[in-house]
Amino acid sequence: MKASSPPAGRAPLMPLGDAMADLLGRVDALTGTETVATFDADRRVLAQDLVSALQVPPKDNSSMDGYAVRTADVLEPGQVLRVSQRIAAGQAGGPLEPGTCARIFTGAPMPAGADAVVMQEDTIEVGGDIHAVHIQAVPQRGQWVRRAGEDVTHGAVVLARGERLSPAGLGLAASLGLAELRVVVRPRVALFSTGDELVMPGEVPPEAMKPGAIYNSNRFFLRNLLQRMGCEVTDLGIVPDQREATLAALQSAAEQHDLILTSGGVSVGEEDHIKPSVQQLGRLDIWQIGMKPGKPFAYGTVRRSAAGQNCHFIGLPGNPVSSFVTFLLLVRPFLLKLQGVPAARFQPLPAAITLPAHFTLPRADKRREFLRVRRNAAGGLDLFPNQSSGVLTSTVWADGLVDNPAGTTIAHGDPVSYISFSDLLA
Ligand code: AMP
Ligand code: MG
């Protein structure tokens, strides 16, 4: 890898890490909470610790279909034991008579006195009768027994406040008997697209598109990314390219939302209505971030009518890949913090793994670059051939990003930092 210094004489771009820290410093966690059905709590953030009121499993139970025994009764293989009782899952047996065994099924509680299970495959019914069995193998104490409390102990904090729930987390909560969970309210996000060239799919067929017109693609992934992040989205569509309409939309959205998210119109020198409108209704900081794709990024606030209250504003670049990548790298951590996920529990940028590049990048960029790549069967990374910020195909083809430092070329075989989309989309 070869590093070169950026050209002199240009205003320095803001490093991505600084932009992330600055952005996160401007957001406080929402304080509202609500109770939702455990079924509906995927991706929601817990507003309180989940403390177990029981132990899981509640009792010692069998992890096999077989026979519960006292190991003292089976000191050598070939022992014959009478089957003195039958215990299916959901039943409670009586104490195990010494010198006998209990027919037992997976999940059934161990009878008092038994200290191991012999799996069915290690037994033979005597004379084809189910009332006595040959025990073929000498059991170890505790064999095939799931211990009471081995999953969750009584009083344990199973999931902590600030934890973002996953399907497995919902199962764990349910195993404690919780049908409902107290979670942080959803961030209310108003979504706008800007750009007079944009047409909604379905409104005009491809063959009838006017020269210069393109379909609005950002709206589709942004709305869905917001929903994945647990947001309640008000999709305000394409804001007409007029000052009055833009001001009205921003002003009314600010009242009922925590964040207004837009795409397009934040490049330098762009003639558009979002920037001056946000400035008129609050404040706007345009950041030139040292990242590719995604250099232009805007953060600001829009005042609400109630004194001292503001709504967050984030303006993403219009180029689809830039919009997608800046959402993942900047808006995602912003939304996590807004929902009260503690900083210690998420890294703004998920941990990268080092993999060999199975491609070359002969021309270094002065910006830190996020290349669309895909893991290959040989354990390396392939590069999507067209890395243009307008080529959305690259983000669908790719399964992650290479985080390539500014001014760095890549030779075939070089170790590079790979961040999986599955970590960024979780
Ligand atoms: P802008 O950031 O507004 O200068 O837009 C940069 C590029 O992204 C232009 O080519 C726009 O046509 C394109 N673009 C802007 N918004 C969208 C959108 N919602 N969907 C698809 N392309 C867009
Ligand atoms: Mg535009």
Side-chain angles (χ1 to χ4, degrees):
M1 276 181 280
K2 187 186 72 179
S4 63
S5 32
R10 297 224 187 115
L13 299 172
M14 190 184 224
L16 176 61
D18 293 358
M20 275 177 179
D22 190 324
L23 186 66
L24 293 179
R26 295 172 192 239
V27 55
D28 293 321
L30 298 171
T31 51
T33 65
E34 62 180 335
T35 298
V36 297
T38 302
F39 271 127
D40 300 328
D42 185 29
R43 301 174 195 270
R44 301 296 298 273
V45 176
L46 277 176
Q48 56 186 197
D49 289 348
L50 294 192
V51 181
S52 180
L54 78 174
Q55 55 180 2
V56 183
K59 297 234 175 307
D60 287 358
N61 67 90
S62 175
S63 64
M64 283 287 167
D65 290 338
Y67 296 87
V69 299
R70 295 172 188 266
T71 48
D73 290 339
V74 192
L75 298 175
E76 53 197 46
Q79 187 75 43
V80 174
L81 295 179
R82 179 169 66 84
V83 181
S84 55
Q85 58 178 318
R86 185 178 189 277
I87 315 167
Q91 298 177 343
L96 182 65
E97 268 178 62
T100 74
C101 64
R103 177 72 172 123
I104 197 162
F105 298 90
T106 305
M110 292 290 285
D115 60 2
V117 170
V118 178
M119 65 161 124
Q120 192 166 317
E121 293 83 343
D122 288 338
T123 65
I124 300 173
E125 289 162 1
V126 174
D129 190 346
I130 58 163
H131 299 297
V133 285
H134 278 282
I135 305 292
Q136 303 295 101
V138 176
Q140 302 294 309
R141 279 192 70 153
Q143 169 183 298
W144 305 125
V145 178
R146 299 194 283 223
R147 289 280 168 220
E150 74 175 25
D151 186 356
V152 179
T153 54
H154 192 279
V157 175
V158 170
L159 288 167
R161 176 167 171 240
E163 186 90 33
R164 194 155 168 259
L165 293 161
S166 65
L170 304 188
L172 188 54
S175 77
L176 309 182
L178 299 168
E180 294 182 327
L181 298 172
R182 194 91 196 141
V183 296
V184 177
V185 288
R186 293 182 183 280
R188 299 159 306 166
V189 182
L191 177 66
F192 293 30
S193 309
T194 75
D196 278 352
E197 71 279 29
L198 301 177
V199 172
M200 280 305 290
E203 283 178 1
V204 180
E207 64 279 8
M209 289 284 275
K210 295 206 185 84
I214 57 164
Y215 289 117
N216 184 349
S217 50
N218 296 1
R219 182 177 179 184
F220 287 79
F221 61 74
L222 290 175
R223 191 205 289 194
N224 281 281
L225 286 169
L226 286 167
Q227 285 166 341
R228 280 187 180 221
M229 291 305 301
C231 301
E232 189 181 294
V233 182
T234 309
D235 188 340
L236 295 163
I238 301 164
V239 172
D241 206 6
Q242 300 155 9
R243 178 68 72 90
E244 286 312 311
T246 308
L247 283 170
L250 286 168
Q251 204 158 24
S252 75
E255 294 297 328
Q256 301 294 335
H257 296 90
D258 303 301
L259 168 68
I260 300 170
L261 184 71
T262 66
S263 81
V266 289
S267 313
V268 182
E270 164 110 14
E271 198 42 58
D272 83 297
H273 295 272
I274 288 279
K275 278 201 296 188
S277 301
V278 175
Q279 268 153 350
Q280 186 176 327
L281 298 173
R283 53 170 291 184
L284 186 70
D285 303 294
I286 300 281
W287 297 343
Q288 296 291 304
I289 302 180
M291 66 184 282
K292 183 184 176 185
K295 182 165 78 169
F297 181 91
Y299 172 81
T301 48
V302 177
R303 280 187 301 272
R304 294 190 182 134
S305 50
Q309 282 197 20
N310 293 306
C311 173
H312 295 285
F313 169 84
I314 291 179
L316 300 179
N319 273 311
V321 182
S322 308
S323 211
F324 187 77
V325 171
T326 49
F327 185 99
L328 297 184
L329 301 188
L330 291 155
V331 182
R332 178 182 168 277
F334 180 92
L335 291 171
L336 290 175
K337 181 146 186 232
L338 188 62
Q339 289 174 86
V341 180
R345 210 165 292 138
F346 73 91
Q347 297 158 292
L349 205 55
I353 57 170
T354 304
L355 290 173
H358 287 179
F359 61 87
T360 64
L361 191 76
R363 283 187 48 196
D365 198 277
K366 70 174 191 298
R367 287 178 277 162
R368 177 173 173 181
E369 200 165 359
F370 290 90
L371 302 163
R372 271 75 67 215
V373 296
R374 187 154 94 178
R375 293 180 79 153
N376 61 31
L381 295 169
D382 294 328
L383 181 73
F384 190 76
N386 187 341
Q387 293 285 321
S388 158
S389 59
V391 175
L392 205 47
T393 314
S394 68
T395 57
V396 176
W397 178 91
D399 61 13
L401 300 169
V402 160
D403 180 359
N404 191 43
T408 308
T409 57
I410 299 172
H412 200 281
D414 277 352
V416 293
S417 294
Y418 167 82
I419 303 168
S420 161
F421 277 149
S422 55
D423 286 339
L424 288 163
L425 293 168

